[in-house]
């Protein structure tokens, strides 16, 4: 028999596949020109901020320092009716604080908006770090209304002083911040914090400003947040930090988390600045008719960019009706946790990246309830193992069918090889005879592919499930101190090109174990796959490709999952071990090749009724064969 030569086509195919995967990893990396352009824009903004003082600040300074009527008049020329607010005792850099069991807020007189939001009960980076989760602090956020006045001014509320008032309604804490144009003329922000809630009521309304606000122009609301890093791995956290919004009565969308991105929408009902495991959300009862969104990626170099992840901006015009503005809204500052977000019945669970279609359905209605039940009475690491066992048991019938199909193809391999040799000069005839053999033996060559396809929704759903599980945050298991982040057993300080970009400066043990497990699984199954899948003329030799993939796949697994949640790597490690065990049991105790051969021989002896599809395929092949013979003559 002629020895098969080294198949360069197979290697080229594999190189192309690897190239596509590497391109996907690097495609979102900004070019040097884009980085330079971004640096220029940032520098221009800084210079502009340094050189220009706001008109409002100058006017307020004039009022506070001037004592004569002339200085008061000049200030009024700048601020118009809202100069009144700058004359009040509250026109100073002071704050009002409110707090419940889970959330602490600080609201500034200047601007009237939240300048500090602390999610209580959680630590930044690692457990017991004594660094609280502050979603807003040190001027990383702005909330501003650009008001067009009747006397052709444009004033920004973030530069003006509000008058605060703290009160209680039952157990609820209420803060009203009023930007006054007179004793009974004002623009009001109203905050209501309830016990034990991350969600607070928020309202914007005006009173007596019909002759102050220009009714023909909308009030431009701009919400901006520069999101702080809160987790151990900034690259992993940044991958799931994104701007999400709901529009047109229930549709949801998001901006690309991998690069700078912009978008527009209509009838927007909420905007979420999601920071992987925590989120800030602005909701409205009256949808914003139009909205513009922007997200800038602030992590270009994980060695240098270690404080912030993204800069989010949402521009949301408010309608002025009959000279007044009136919007009932909500703020949410808290965990990106499915059961908390889902209980508000405002479609906030869509903020969670659980996958679309069937993938999201599997996560919402199967994986989240099942894992929630298991983790309710078991430690999280053990819960992941038990959860993995249940998933593999549920998928074992699919594994069984896949193995049986491979075994049948393996048994038929000698007969297929004979047909290949007999009709080696007639590809059409060889295909016809091969299909006849499959039909007589009762074997479907595609049966091995279908079980694999059936597992894909589960695989993808799990890939989305673990990064979304807030409960894994800072939960330890064995050597891993945080199942929502990587579990490094080896670290280094030196920057290694490509390697550092892909894996970071560490090796995760669970990712390494998962890669070893997948190597042995593939080694165990590759031989059977090579034996069961005959090489077709003109097609790549899958045997050679599988031999190469035997070593490449575990490496790709290690590189890809090295910076992912260790809980996900733990799942794949245990899952591969269980799959190996199931395959060994099926191979040694359930599926016997001699029984399969006997069954195939029995099928051959039985008359087979040809299906319409099989008859049509046979007729097409016969016609093609006849046409080919006619052309030869």
């Amino acid at each position: 028999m002629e020895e098969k030569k080294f198949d360069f086509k197979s290697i080229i195919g594999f190189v192309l596949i690897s190239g596509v995967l590497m391109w996907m990893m690097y495609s979102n990396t900004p070019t040097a020109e884009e980085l330079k352009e971004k640096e220029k824009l940032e520098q221009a903004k800084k210079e502009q901020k340094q050189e220009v003082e706001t008109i409002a600040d100058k006017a307020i300074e004039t009022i506070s320092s001037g004592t004569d009527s002339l200085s008061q008049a000049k200030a009024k020329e700048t601020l118009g009716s809202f100069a009144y607010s700058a004359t009040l005792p509250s026109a100073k850099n002071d704050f009002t604080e409110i707090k419940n069991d889970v959330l602490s807020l600080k609201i500034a007189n200047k601007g009237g908006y939240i300048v500090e939001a602390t999610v209580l009960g959680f630590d930044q980076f690692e457990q017991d770090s004594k660094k609280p989760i502050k979603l807003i602090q040190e001027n990383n956020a702005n909330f501003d209304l650009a008001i067009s006045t009747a006397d052709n001014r444009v004033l920004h509320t973030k530069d003006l002083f509000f008058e605060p008032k703290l009160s209680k309604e039952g157990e609820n804490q209420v803060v009203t911040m009023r930007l006054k144009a007179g004793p009974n003329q004002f623009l009001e922000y109203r905050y209501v914090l309830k016990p034990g809630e991350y969600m607070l009521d928020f309202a914007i309304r005006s009173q007596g400003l019909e002759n102050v606000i220009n009714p023909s122009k909308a009030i431009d609301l701009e919400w901006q947040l520069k999101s702080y890093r809160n987790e151990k791995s900034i690259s992993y956290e940044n991958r799931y930090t994104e701007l999400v919004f709901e529009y047109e009565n229930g549709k949801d969308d998001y901006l690309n988390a991998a690069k700078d991105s912009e978008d527009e929408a209509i009838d927007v009902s909420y905007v979420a600045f999601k920071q992987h495991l925590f989120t800030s959300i602005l909701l409205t009862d009256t949808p914003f008719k139009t909205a513009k969104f922007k997200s800038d990626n602030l992590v270009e170099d994980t060695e240098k960019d270690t404080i912030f992840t993204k800069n989010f901006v949402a521009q949301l015009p408010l309608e002025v009706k009959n000279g007044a503005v009136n919007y009932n809204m909500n703020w949410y500052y808290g965990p990106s946790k499915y059961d908390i977000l889902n209980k508000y019945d405002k479609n906030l669970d869509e903020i969670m990246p659980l996958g679309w279609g069937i993938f999201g359905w599997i996560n919402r209605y199967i994986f989240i309830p099942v894992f929630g039940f298991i983790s309710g009475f078991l430690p999280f690491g053990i819960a992941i193992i038990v959860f993995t066992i249940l998933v593999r048991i549920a998928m074992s019938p699919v594994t069984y069918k896949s193995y049986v199909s491979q075994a049948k193809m393996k048994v038929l391999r000698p007969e297929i090889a004979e047909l290949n040799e007999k009709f080696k000069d007639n590809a059409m005839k060889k295909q016809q005879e091969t299909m006849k053999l499959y039909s007589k033996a009762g074997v479907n060559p595609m049966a091995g592919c279908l079980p694999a396809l059936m597992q894909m929704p589960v695989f993808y759903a799990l890939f989305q499930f673990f990064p979304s599980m807030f409960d894994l945050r800072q939960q330890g298991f064995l050597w891993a101190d945080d199942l929502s982040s990587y579990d490094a057993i080896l670290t280094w300080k030196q920057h290694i090109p490509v390697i550092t970009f892909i894996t970071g400066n560490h090796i995760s043990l669970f990712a390494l174990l998962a890669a070893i497990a997948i190597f042995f699984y593939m080694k165990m199954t590759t031989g059977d796959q090579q034996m069961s899948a005959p090489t077709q003329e003109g097609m790549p030799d899958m045997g050679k490709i599988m031999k190469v993939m035997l070593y490449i796949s575990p490496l790709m697994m290690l590189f890809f999952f090295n910076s992912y949640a260790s809980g996900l790597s733990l799942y794949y490690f245990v899952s591969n071990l269980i799959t190996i065990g199931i395959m060994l049991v099926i191979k040694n105790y359930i599926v016997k090749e001699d029984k399969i051969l006997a069954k195939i021989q029995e099928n051959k002896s039985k008359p087979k009724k040809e299906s319409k599809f099989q008859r049509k395929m046979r007729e097409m092949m016969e016609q093609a064969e006849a046409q080919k013979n006619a052309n030869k003559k």
Side-chain angles (χ1 to χ4, degrees):
M1 183 180 291
E2 184 181 359
E3 184 180 353
K4 289 185 179 180
K5 297 181 180 179
F6 191 73
D7 190 349
F8 285 101
K9 292 182 179 178
S10 300
I11 300 301
I12 291 172
F14 168 72
V15 170
L16 289 174
I17 293 171
S18 300
V20 170
L21 293 172
M22 293 300 294
W23 174 81
M24 290 172 66
M25 297 178 69
Y26 284 99
S27 62
N28 291 321
T29 305
T31 64
E33 290 75 10
E34 290 174 336
L35 291 176
K36 288 181 180 179
E37 186 65 27
K38 187 173 181 179
E39 287 176 3
K40 288 180 181 179
L41 290 173
E42 291 295 331
Q43 185 62 29
K45 289 179 181 178
K46 287 180 181 179
E47 292 175 357
Q48 184 179 15
K49 188 175 181 180
Q50 291 171 353
E51 292 175 1
V52 181
E53 288 184 64
T54 64
I55 295 174
D57 283 340
K58 288 184 177 180
I60 292 168
E61 183 181 351
T62 302
I63 292 175
S64 61
S65 60
T67 56
D68 54 33
S69 59
L70 181 60
S71 61
Q72 299 281 344
K74 287 182 178 179
K76 192 167 184 178
E77 287 180 6
T78 305
L79 298 180
S81 299
F82 287 112
Y84 176 85
S85 193
T87 65
L88 301 175
S90 56
K92 57 184 178 181
N93 289 315
D94 206 352
F95 309 93
T96 302
E97 296 187 52
I98 51 177
K99 181 180 179 180
N100 62 15
D101 294 338
V102 297
L103 189 62
S104 177
L105 302 173
K106 184 184 287 187
I107 305 168
N109 289 11
K110 187 174 182 181
Y113 61 91
I114 297 170
V115 293
E116 188 171 294
T118 306
V119 184
L120 304 176
F122 301 101
D123 296 315
Q124 196 178 32
F125 306 135
E126 59 186 5
Q127 196 170 27
D128 299 324
S129 68
K130 308 303 180 184
K131 296 179 180 178
I133 299 293
K134 291 182 178 289
L135 300 183
I136 300 177
Q137 64 171 333
E138 298 176 356
N139 299 317
N140 74 312
N142 274 311
F143 185 82
D144 178 46
L145 302 186
I147 302 173
S148 298
T149 64
D151 50 2
N152 296 321
R153 294 180 176 86
V154 177
L155 302 177
H156 292 269
T157 58
K158 66 183 179 67
D159 300 321
L160 305 176
F161 283 104
F162 286 64
E163 183 181 59
K165 180 182 177 182
L166 176 61
S167 61
K168 295 199 72 173
E169 294 179 353
E171 295 184 346
N172 300 338
Q173 301 171 69
V174 180
V175 176
T176 57
M177 307 293 292
R178 290 180 174 177
L179 175 62
K180 290 191 169 182
N184 296 306
Q185 296 174 285
F186 53 81
L187 174 73
E188 180 184 83
Y189 296 163
R190 189 174 190 269
Y191 302 87
V192 180
L193 182 62
K194 302 172 184 177
E197 287 284 351
Y198 295 104
M199 183 85 74
L200 60 149
D201 296 339
F202 176 62
I204 300 176
R205 73 180 188 95
S206 63
Q207 177 178 301
L209 299 182
E210 292 81 359
N211 296 323
V212 177
I213 298 176
N214 187 342
S216 64
K217 293 185 178 180
I219 294 177
D220 294 324
L221 185 160
E222 181 175 284
W223 178 32
Q224 176 267 333
L225 180 94
K226 196 174 180 181
S227 58
Y228 275 100
R229 168 195 179 184
N230 289 311
E231 310 304 327
K232 183 166 64 173
S233 172
I234 190 169
S235 60
Y236 185 61
E237 179 181 0
N238 195 43
R239 186 179 291 119
Y240 293 98
T241 297
E242 58 189 359
L243 189 154
V244 186
F245 57 93
E246 183 185 70
Y247 67 106
E248 293 183 8
N249 195 27
K251 298 179 182 178
D252 60 275
D253 205 349
Y254 58 91
L255 299 190
N256 192 323
K259 59 184 179 180
D260 296 350
S261 185
E262 297 183 20
D263 202 354
E264 297 182 9
I266 59 174
D267 295 330
V268 173
S269 51
Y270 72 68
V271 184
F273 296 162
K274 179 178 173 294
Q275 300 171 230
H276 189 195
L277 296 177
F278 294 91
T279 188
S280 306
I281 312 172
L282 175 62
L283 307 95
T284 177
D285 292 348
T286 305
F288 306 114
K289 283 196 170 181
T290 60
K292 293 182 179 180
F293 309 108
K294 185 178 181 183
S295 173
D296 294 324
N297 182 23
L298 304 180
V299 183
E300 296 169 358
D301 185 342
T302 55
E303 295 295 311
K304 298 177 181 177
D305 304 324
T306 60
I307 299 176
F308 300 101
T309 54
K310 295 284 196 312
N311 184 58
F312 298 121
V313 179
Q315 295 177 328
L316 313 161
L318 307 179
E319 285 188 283
V320 178
K321 295 181 179 179
N322 300 320
V325 60
N326 191 356
Y327 277 77
N328 291 320
M329 303 182 185
N330 296 94
W331 285 108
Y332 176 90
Y333 296 104
S336 300
K337 189 174 179 179
Y338 178 82
D339 55 352
I340 294 176
L341 295 174
N342 192 47
K343 77 174 184 178
Y344 293 112
D345 197 27
K346 293 179 179 288
N347 210 31
L348 296 182
D349 60 294
E350 295 295 338
I351 292 170
M352 309 294 295
L354 298 175
W356 53 271
I358 188 173
F359 312 116
W361 185 90
I362 291 172
N363 277 324
R364 285 180 174 85
Y365 302 112
I366 300 177
F367 289 164
I368 289 177
V370 171
F371 187 79
F373 173 75
I374 297 170
S375 61
F377 59 89
L378 290 175
F380 282 96
I382 301 298
I384 290 175
I385 294 174
V386 173
F387 176 75
T388 308
I389 293 171
L390 292 177
V391 172
R392 293 317 305 167
I393 290 175
M395 299 304 296
S396 59
V398 178
T399 306
Y400 172 77
K401 288 183 179 180
S402 178
Y403 185 81
V404 169
S405 176
Q406 289 180 19
K408 288 181 178 180
M409 294 295 292
K410 184 179 178 181
V411 168
L412 285 179
R413 173 84 180 193
E415 296 183 57
I416 294 174
E418 289 180 10
L419 292 176
N420 288 341
E421 181 64 25
K422 183 177 181 180
F423 300 104
K424 61 183 179 181
D425 297 325
N426 191 335
M428 185 66 68
K429 186 67 175 176
K430 180 173 64 177
Q431 191 69 20
Q432 286 178 326
E433 294 301 320
T434 301
M435 290 185 66
K436 285 181 182 179
L437 176 62
Y438 288 151
S439 180
K440 287 181 180 179
V443 174
N444 183 357
M446 296 301 295
C449 299
L450 294 177
L453 291 175
M454 289 174 63
Q455 295 185 70
M456 288 303 294
V458 175
F459 176 85
Y460 183 78
L462 287 165
F463 184 74
Q464 297 293 104
F465 171 77
F466 281 98
S468 300
M469 284 303 295
F470 180 88
D471 288 339
L472 297 180
R473 186 178 188 271
Q474 296 179 1
Q475 296 293 330
F477 178 64
L478 298 178
W479 55 84
D481 56 8
D482 186 349
L483 287 169
S484 72
S485 188
Y486 60 81
D487 55 309
I489 57 160
L490 178 64
T491 60
W492 59 89
K493 294 182 179 179
Q494 296 79 8
H495 179 83
I496 304 175
V498 181
I499 297 296
T500 297
F501 175 80
I502 296 175
T503 68
N505 286 2
H506 68 274
I507 295 294
S508 298
L509 183 52
F510 276 131
L512 180 61
L513 291 174
I516 294 172
I518 199 172
F519 170 80
F520 283 106
Y521 167 72
M522 291 187 67
K523 190 173 181 63
M524 187 180 76
T525 58
T526 296
D528 290 342
Q529 291 173 356
Q530 291 172 9
M531 289 293 293
S532 65
T535 302
Q536 299 293 328
E537 186 176 339
M539 298 295 290
D541 189 337
M542 292 305 297
K544 289 188 173 69
I545 291 179
M546 289 303 296
K547 285 181 180 179
V548 177
M549 292 301 293
L550 174 63
Y551 298 97
I552 295 300
S553 293
L555 284 176
M556 292 180 64
M557 175 86 177
L558 174 60
F559 290 156
F560 192 74
F561 287 96
N562 194 59
S563 294
Y564 266 66
S566 54
L568 180 62
S569 299
L570 171 62
Y571 170 85
Y572 283 118
F573 169 56
V574 176
S575 178
N576 282 313
L577 287 183
I578 295 172
T579 303
I580 290 172
I582 291 174
M583 294 290 284
L584 288 173
V585 170
I586 292 173
K587 183 176 183 180
N588 295 321
Y589 300 101
I590 299 177
V591 176
K592 300 292 186 179
E593 290 187 9
D594 54 347
K595 292 183 179 180
I596 291 176
L597 180 59
K599 183 66 176 176
I600 287 176
Q601 296 302 331
E602 181 184 346
N603 289 339
K604 286 182 181 180
S605 63
K606 295 178 180 179
K608 280 284 182 180
K609 186 178 180 181
E610 196 175 36
S611 68
K612 291 183 179 180
F613 175 76
Q614 289 174 327
R615 185 176 70 253
K616 188 68 176 176
M617 289 295 295
R618 177 179 55 78
E619 291 173 353
M620 289 174 62
M621 288 184 177
E622 289 174 352
Q623 290 174 5
E625 181 70 15
Q627 183 66 39
K628 182 179 178 182
N629 293 333
N631 291 337
K632 285 182 179 180
K633 294 179 181 179

